[in-house]
Amino acid sequence: LVPLLGAVLSRTRSHAAAPYLTRLLSNPDAAIRLQGVAGLASNGEASDARAIVPLLKDPDGALRGAAISALSSIGEAEVFDPIADLCTDRDRGARTQALSALSSIAAKFDLKDRLVQTLAGAAAAAEGDILLDLVGALATSGRAEAVVALARHVSNDRADIRIAAAGGLASLGTPEAAEEVADQIAREPEATVRVALAAAAVKVRAEGAMPALADWLDDEDEQVKLSALRALKDLSKTDLGLDREKWIEWLDRKKKRP
């Protein structure tokens, strides 16, 4: 009877069902707890958020994700911190839900600076796939304050993290990361990352990367060559084609100018 009533009430579009749905949250059956959370997401109000917060520690990853979604839907600004604890959750689904919810709450309650601080702090201690997701969230934050954190990860051991960090820096396009981008371009071995870094070099105006970009014109990968050429043309406002020697000569002359 409990599962049936829970299923019915979870579809009821009335806050009158909230007290019963709240009682479902402590049921030993995860499926019933999930019904309660889903029902409150549809019928709950901000005052019901407190009853949902404990489920952020539920052993079931899907239930943690549902609790995050419900809190994002009905909660006020105070649910930001409890959800922030899950942006490094071991469950990819719950983690993705947390990152999405934090972005939504930050936009709704003008907490964008706090969002970047939270993501940057978590990224500083994270690694692997968790770090990749955090860097991705920083990259899409749209906040210039994310530049420092992204620049720190442009030299990560994992190529996909370096690509995500470079893409974020390119998107933000602020010159504070020019030195880090130039340094990584000088030592980057992977073709796919080189392409991303070349695009970032243009956006952050990393003129210090131009000698290494000129060397890439002799790379065996066609995409790397073309990406390097596009970056060189944009940074120099000059077009010397794919001839590496011409670019080296041009850079030498530029260096000697008073």
Side-chain angles (χ1 to χ4, degrees), residues 156-240:
N156 191 272
D157 290 342
R158 276 181 49 164
D160 54 354
I161 293 175
R162 298 199 300 278
I163 290 173
L169 292 173
S171 176
L172 294 171
T174 53
E176 286 84 351
E179 184 176 349
E180 287 85 352
V181 170
D183 287 346
Q184 187 58 31
I185 284 176
R187 59 177 175 258
E188 180 56 53
E190 298 285 340
T192 52
V193 186
R194 286 184 170 190
V195 172
L197 285 168
V202 172
K203 296 298 185 179
V204 304
R205 311 311 298 171
E207 294 187 5
M210 291 176 70
L213 289 168
D215 287 339
W216 289 3
L217 296 175
D218 285 342
D219 196 276
E220 59 185 22
D221 188 287
E222 195 67 20
Q223 284 300 112
V224 171
K225 287 182 182 180
L226 294 176
S227 297
L229 179 58
R230 283 193 293 268
L232 286 166
K233 287 164 62 176
D234 195 290
L235 291 169
S236 68
K237 306 305 178 187
T238 302
D239 186 358
L240 299 175

